[in-house]
Amino acid sequence: HALSGVRLVFVSEQSFRVQCLVGALPIAISLWLHVRTYEFIIILLLVGGILVLELGNSVFERLVDTFKPRIHPAVHDMKDLMAGAVLIGSLVSAVIGLVIFVPYLSALFS
């Protein structure tokens, strides 16, 4: 059932597919730069955390849509709040990624 759920969210949610694509980038960069093991683990945790958050956002949207139509103001607010959580998680992950990658990239290009 778990793989079925992952397949469902991947097929039906464009934002999840985008997050997967964007998440593959820091993993590839980590492998290319040969970052330290603990840094790679942090990158994996951040990417995985954002994907889980995005999956939870998709579940939440479907659940809320079941109880109220999309046009209800409270539903709109709840969806915006959940999307905001994904955005904050993504921004924090990006900052942490920069903290990890900038020293490697500056050493590579200097």
Side-chain angles (χ1 to χ4, degrees):
H1 297 288
L3 289 177
S4 176
V6 172
R7 188 178 326 108
L8 176 63
V9 75
F10 190 83
V11 169
S12 65
E13 296 291 334
Q14 179 182 0
S15 57
F16 188 80
R17 290 190 301 273
V18 169
Q19 293 286 0
C20 287
L21 184 64
V22 171
L25 186 62
I27 293 171
I29 293 170
S30 296
L31 295 171
W32 176 59
L33 294 175
H34 302 286
V35 299
R36 294 178 186 94
T37 302
Y38 76 89
E39 292 170 326
F40 187 64
I41 291 169
I42 291 170
I43 296 295
L44 289 175
L45 286 171
L46 291 170
V47 170
I50 295 303
L51 291 177
V52 168
L53 198 54
E54 187 64 48
L55 196 140
N57 183 40
S58 297
V59 169
F60 185 77
E61 285 184 359
R62 287 177 186 224
L63 183 64
V64 171
D65 284 344
T66 301
F67 293 113
K68 292 284 185 183
R70 288 181 184 263
I71 57 172
H72 193 280
V75 170
H76 183 268
D77 290 347
M78 287 184 255
K79 288 182 175 185
D80 285 353
L81 291 168
M82 201 58 199
V86 176
L87 176 64
I88 290 171
S90 297
L91 291 174
V92 170
S93 295
V95 169
I96 293 170
L98 287 172
V99 169
I100 291 173
F101 292 136
V102 164
Y104 287 96
L105 293 171
S106 60
L108 184 68
F109 292 114
S110 62

